[in-house]
Amino acid sequence: YIIGVLLGDGHISKDNKFIVLNTIDKDFAENFASNIYKWVGIKVNIKERIKEDITENSSIYTGKLYKCKNQFKVQLSSKDATIILKTKINHIFNNEINLNNECKSSFLRGMFDSEASVFKNHYGIKFFNKKLNIINLVHILLNDLGIQSNIYTTNREYGTLYSLGFYKKEKLIKFRDVIGFSIQRKQERLMSIR
């Protein structure tokens, strides 16, 4: 789960000292902090930044400005943890590690918590990323779990954006049962699809 988040909304600092997640979803921050605790045994504090402290941002998906909501920040200071995670990420992309289905589901939950939207009116889930290698990895892992998806490319004035989507009700139910979301608002939207 942690690696999935780090390849999505989270990141490892450039100096390799910090694991960081900034998010508007408190439950996402709490789940990430909980997973860090399970992994390294260190309780990580969640800091809230109030809306007045945050300026307008530009969405990488639409290019439009939007007002930011309150944000929650999770940060672990551990050079050893960052080195281990970077090594595991490299092994995953170089096919040097075999993941069981439970690990695949957990990794994908972290990715989809970070980078996906649920469209209940269109019965679909769409996953976005600027890196094609991440899109391809997610596509392969979903297929391994029996969820077929399609890859899309959109050229924007600020660069190419890749997305991956699946839209049939059966695929959404399979996603819900095998992967799901830890973010309540996304999970509720998914659960409302009948």
Tab-separated table of all heavy atoms in Angstrom, residues 49-58 65-69 71:
chain	number	residue	atom	x	y	z
A	49	ARG	N	-3.305	21.406	7.557
A	49	ARG	CA	-3.104	22.782	7.101
A	49	ARG	C	-4.478	23.344	6.779
A	49	ARG	O	-5.207	22.792	5.953
A	49	ARG	CB	-2.213	22.820	5.861
A	49	ARG	CG	-0.765	22.479	6.171
A	49	ARG	CD	0.091	22.421	4.935
A	49	ARG	NE	0.011	23.641	4.157
A	49	ARG	CZ	0.328	23.704	2.865
A	49	ARG	NH1	0.703	22.636	2.210
A	49	ARG	NH2	0.248	24.837	2.222
A	50	ILE	N	-4.830	24.434	7.435
A	50	ILE	CA	-6.139	25.042	7.259
A	50	ILE	C	-6.198	25.772	5.920
A	50	ILE	O	-5.210	26.333	5.453
A	50	ILE	CB	-6.456	26.000	8.434
A	50	ILE	CG1	-6.299	25.259	9.775
A	50	ILE	CG2	-7.845	26.602	8.299
A	50	ILE	CD1	-7.194	24.050	9.932
A	51	LYS	N	-7.369	25.816	5.329
A	51	LYS	CA	-7.597	26.352	3.987
A	51	LYS	C	-6.974	27.724	3.763
A	51	LYS	O	-6.434	27.998	2.708
A	51	LYS	CB	-9.108	26.391	3.741
A	51	LYS	CG	-9.489	26.766	2.352
A	51	LYS	CD	-10.943	26.586	1.983
A	51	LYS	CE	-11.944	26.585	3.069
A	51	LYS	NZ	-13.311	26.403	2.583
A	52	GLU	N	-7.028	28.619	4.748
A	52	GLU	CA	-6.498	29.978	4.558
A	52	GLU	C	-4.995	29.985	4.275
A	52	GLU	O	-4.472	30.911	3.690
A	52	GLU	CB	-6.768	30.845	5.792
A	52	GLU	CG	-8.224	31.187	5.994
A	52	GLU	CD	-9.014	30.032	6.629
A	52	GLU	OE1	-8.454	29.299	7.452
A	52	GLU	OE2	-10.190	29.864	6.249
A	53	ASP	N	-4.294	28.919	4.687
A	53	ASP	CA	-2.846	28.845	4.477
A	53	ASP	C	-2.474	28.320	3.091
A	53	ASP	O	-1.319	28.275	2.741
A	53	ASP	CB	-2.199	27.908	5.506
A	53	ASP	CG	-2.405	28.383	6.922
A	53	ASP	OD1	-2.521	29.608	7.135
A	53	ASP	OD2	-2.456	27.527	7.802
A	54	ILE	N	-3.472	27.896	2.335
A	54	ILE	CA	-3.203	27.233	1.067
A	54	ILE	C	-3.711	28.100	-0.081
A	54	ILE	O	-4.824	28.590	-0.045
A	54	ILE	CB	-3.882	25.846	1.033
A	54	ILE	CG1	-3.413	25.006	2.232
A	54	ILE	CG2	-3.576	25.129	-0.270
A	54	ILE	CD1	-4.214	23.740	2.424
A	55	THR	N	-2.891	28.283	-1.080
A	55	THR	CA	-3.267	29.120	-2.222
A	55	THR	C	-3.989	28.293	-3.283
A	55	THR	O	-4.130	27.091	-3.163
A	55	THR	CB	-2.012	29.745	-2.845
A	55	THR	OG1	-1.156	28.685	-3.276
A	55	THR	CG2	-1.293	30.622	-1.858
A	56	GLU	N	-4.394	28.961	-4.354
A	56	GLU	CA	-5.007	28.247	-5.469
A	56	GLU	C	-3.960	27.402	-6.167
A	56	GLU	O	-2.793	27.764	-6.245
A	56	GLU	CB	-5.603	29.242	-6.461
A	56	GLU	CG	-6.823	29.957	-5.932
A	56	GLU	CD	-7.447	30.873	-6.970
A	56	GLU	OE1	-6.755	31.246	-7.936
A	56	GLU	OE2	-8.621	31.219	-6.793
A	57	ASN	N	-4.387	26.253	-6.671
A	57	ASN	CA	-3.512	25.358	-7.415
A	57	ASN	C	-4.079	25.124	-8.794
A	57	ASN	O	-5.254	25.346	-9.041
A	57	ASN	CB	-3.384	24.006	-6.702
A	57	ASN	CG	-2.452	24.076	-5.529
A	57	ASN	OD1	-1.506	24.838	-5.533
A	57	ASN	ND2	-2.718	23.273	-4.518
A	58	SER	N	-3.247	24.615	-9.676
A	58	SER	CA	-3.684	24.250	-11.008
A	58	SER	C	-3.731	22.737	-11.097
A	58	SER	O	-2.780	22.062	-10.740
A	58	SER	CB	-2.692	24.800	-12.034
A	58	SER	OG	-3.015	24.347	-13.312
A	65	LEU	N	-7.564	26.454	-12.504
A	65	LEU	CA	-7.292	26.791	-11.115
A	65	LEU	C	-8.464	26.366	-10.239
A	65	LEU	O	-9.612	26.431	-10.657
A	65	LEU	CB	-7.094	28.306	-10.958
A	65	LEU	CG	-5.777	28.873	-11.451
A	65	LEU	CD1	-5.786	30.392	-11.298
A	65	LEU	CD2	-4.606	28.288	-10.697
A	66	TYR	N	-8.154	25.926	-9.047
A	66	TYR	CA	-9.198	25.578	-8.095
A	66	TYR	C	-8.750	25.985	-6.698
A	66	TYR	O	-7.572	26.065	-6.411
A	66	TYR	CB	-9.529	24.086	-8.147
A	66	TYR	CG	-8.375	23.196	-7.741
A	66	TYR	CD1	-8.249	22.758	-6.432
A	66	TYR	CD2	-7.402	22.807	-8.658
A	66	TYR	CE1	-7.186	21.950	-6.048
A	66	TYR	CE2	-6.340	22.009	-8.294
A	66	TYR	CZ	-6.243	21.579	-6.977
A	66	TYR	OH	-5.200	20.793	-6.597
A	67	LYS	N	-9.704	26.262	-5.847
A	67	LYS	CA	-9.405	26.596	-4.450
A	67	LYS	C	-9.105	25.307	-3.712
A	67	LYS	O	-9.838	24.338	-3.809
A	67	LYS	CB	-10.606	27.272	-3.790
A	67	LYS	CG	-10.819	28.689	-4.247
A	67	LYS	CD	-10.004	29.617	-3.420
A	67	LYS	CE	-10.383	31.050	-3.754
A	67	LYS	NZ	-9.445	31.995	-3.268
A	68	CYS	N	-8.016	25.285	-2.995
A	68	CYS	CA	-7.644	24.099	-2.233
A	68	CYS	C	-8.497	23.967	-0.986
A	68	CYS	O	-8.910	24.946	-0.398
A	68	CYS	CB	-6.181	24.181	-1.813
A	68	CYS	SG	-5.059	23.981	-3.180
A	69	LYS	N	-8.728	22.738	-0.586
A	69	LYS	CA	-9.393	22.434	0.670
A	69	LYS	C	-8.317	22.266	1.727
A	69	LYS	O	-7.126	22.289	1.429
A	69	LYS	CB	-10.198	21.146	0.515
A	69	LYS	CG	-11.276	21.236	-0.552
A	69	LYS	CD	-11.991	19.915	-0.696
A	69	LYS	CE	-13.021	20.010	-1.808
A	69	LYS	NZ	-13.717	18.763	-2.024
A	71	GLN	N	-5.706	20.524	3.984
A	71	GLN	CA	-4.854	19.398	3.630
A	71	GLN	C	-4.299	18.751	4.888
A	71	GLN	O	-4.093	19.411	5.905
A	71	GLN	CB	-3.694	19.851	2.747
A	71	GLN	CG	-4.096	20.152	1.339
A	71	GLN	CD	-2.897	20.238	0.410
A	71	GLN	OE1	-1.757	20.371	0.850
A	71	GLN	NE2	-3.155	20.156	-0.870
